[in-house]
Amino acid sequence: MRKAFLLFLVSIFIGLTANAQFWKKVPQVRFPVIQPVNTNTIDLIALNPLHTKNINQAVVWGRGRYSQDLEEAAIMKDLYHTLRFRMYPEAIESFNQLITLYIEESRYSEAKWYLLQIIYFGKKSNNNFAVVNGMVSLGLLKADIGEYEQARQDLLDAKDICFAQKMNTQAIDIDKKLKVVEAKRFANVKNDVQYAEVFENKKG
C-alpha cells in the first residue's frame, strides 16, 4: 500500500514537471519585416496628377464633289444677278471666285474662259486694273500648263497697257513675272532634253 502511494506521487511529480514547460515564456521568433512595394510610380502620380488634355488639332478634309457643286451653283447665282443689273465690279469678283474654284479642280479651260470674261468686262467698265490683273493671271495660268509663248505675249500686252496708263508699279511687277515664265520655260526645255538623252541611251 505504501509502495503504491509512492509510485502515485512519483507519477504526479513527473507529470507536473512535463506540464511545467507550457508555463514557461517561450520567446517569439520575429521574421524579417516584408519590404513595402515600390511606390515610386504611385508617389509620382500623387505629386503630378494626370490631367486629360484636349488636343484641338485642326483636321483638314478634302472637299467632295457635292460641296464643290454647291459652291459653284451659289457663285453662278450671284453672277447672273450682277450681270443682269450690270454690276460689273461685283461680277468680276464672282468671276474671280469661279476661277479659284476651277483651278483647285484642275479645270483650266474653264478658268481661262472666265479670265477672258474679266478682261472683257474690265474693258467695258474702263477698269484698267481689272484688265491688267486678268491678263497677268491668264498669262501665269498658261505658263503653269506649258503654254509659254502665249503666256509671255499676255504679259507683254498687260505691260503695254501699264505703260499707256502710267501704271509703273504694275509694269515692274510684270517684268518679274516675265522672268518667272522664262525660267519655267527653260526648266521645261532642260527636262525635255534630259529625257531625250536618257531615251536615246536606252535605245542605243
Side-chain angles (χ1 to χ4, degrees):
M1 183 70 181
R2 187 178 179 180
K3 291 181 178 179
F5 180 72
L6 291 173
L7 290 173
F8 176 72
L9 291 176
V10 171
S11 62
I12 291 174
F13 177 76
I14 294 172
L16 289 174
T17 303
N19 291 332
Q21 300 294 329
F22 294 103
W23 297 96
K24 292 181 180 179
K25 185 177 181 179
V26 180
Q28 290 183 345
V29 179
R30 295 184 180 276
F31 295 99
V33 178
I34 299 175
Q35 295 295 328
V37 297
N38 185 2
T39 59
N40 292 337
T41 304
I42 299 174
D43 294 339
L44 181 63
I45 295 176
L47 294 174
N48 303 283
L50 301 177
H51 298 287
T52 57
K53 294 182 179 181
N54 296 323
I55 301 176
N56 296 323
Q57 184 175 359
V59 179
V60 180
W61 301 96
R63 292 193 305 166
R65 179 73 256 176
Y66 179 71
S67 64
Q68 292 173 342
D69 289 343
L70 285 179
E71 182 179 357
E72 182 180 6
I75 297 172
M76 284 291 188
K77 183 178 180 180
D78 290 338
L79 180 60
Y80 292 150
H81 174 77
T82 55
L83 288 178
R84 179 182 179 184
F85 293 98
R86 298 182 180 181
M87 302 164 62
Y88 297 136
E90 291 79 4
I92 290 173
E93 178 62 28
S94 296
F95 286 137
N96 279 320
Q97 294 175 3
L98 284 173
I99 291 162
T100 302
L101 179 64
Y102 293 148
I103 290 176
E104 288 178 356
E105 299 175 7
S106 300
R107 297 163 62 180
Y108 301 122
S109 297
E110 292 165 281
K112 287 164 62 178
W113 191 85
Y114 281 107
L115 281 169
L116 291 172
Q117 299 306 305
I118 288 178
I119 296 169
Y120 171 76
F121 284 104
K123 290 179 178 179
K124 193 170 184 178
S125 58
N126 295 320
N127 188 340
N128 294 319
F129 286 98
V131 173
V132 170
N133 290 334
M135 296 179 73
V136 170
S137 298
L138 181 61
L140 294 177
L141 177 58
K142 289 179 178 179
D144 287 339
I145 60 179
E147 299 175 356
Y148 301 109
E149 292 301 325
Q150 295 182 29
R152 182 173 177 274
Q153 187 59 51
D154 288 334
L155 292 175
L156 290 174
D157 291 342
K159 186 178 178 181
D160 291 339
I161 296 175
C162 290
F163 283 141
Q165 300 297 328
K166 301 187 183 303
M167 300 164 61
N168 297 326
T169 302
Q170 286 78 5
I172 294 173
D173 186 60
I174 291 174
D175 280 332
K176 296 178 181 178
K177 289 179 170 56
L178 282 166
K179 293 178 181 179
V180 171
V181 172
E182 184 63 22
K184 287 184 177 181
R185 188 191 68 80
F186 178 76
N188 184 69
V189 171
K190 186 176 179 181
N191 290 335
D192 289 343
V193 171
Q194 291 177 347
Y195 177 79
E197 290 176 352
V198 171
F199 180 77
E200 289 296 330
N201 291 335
K202 289 184 179 181
K203 186 177 179 181

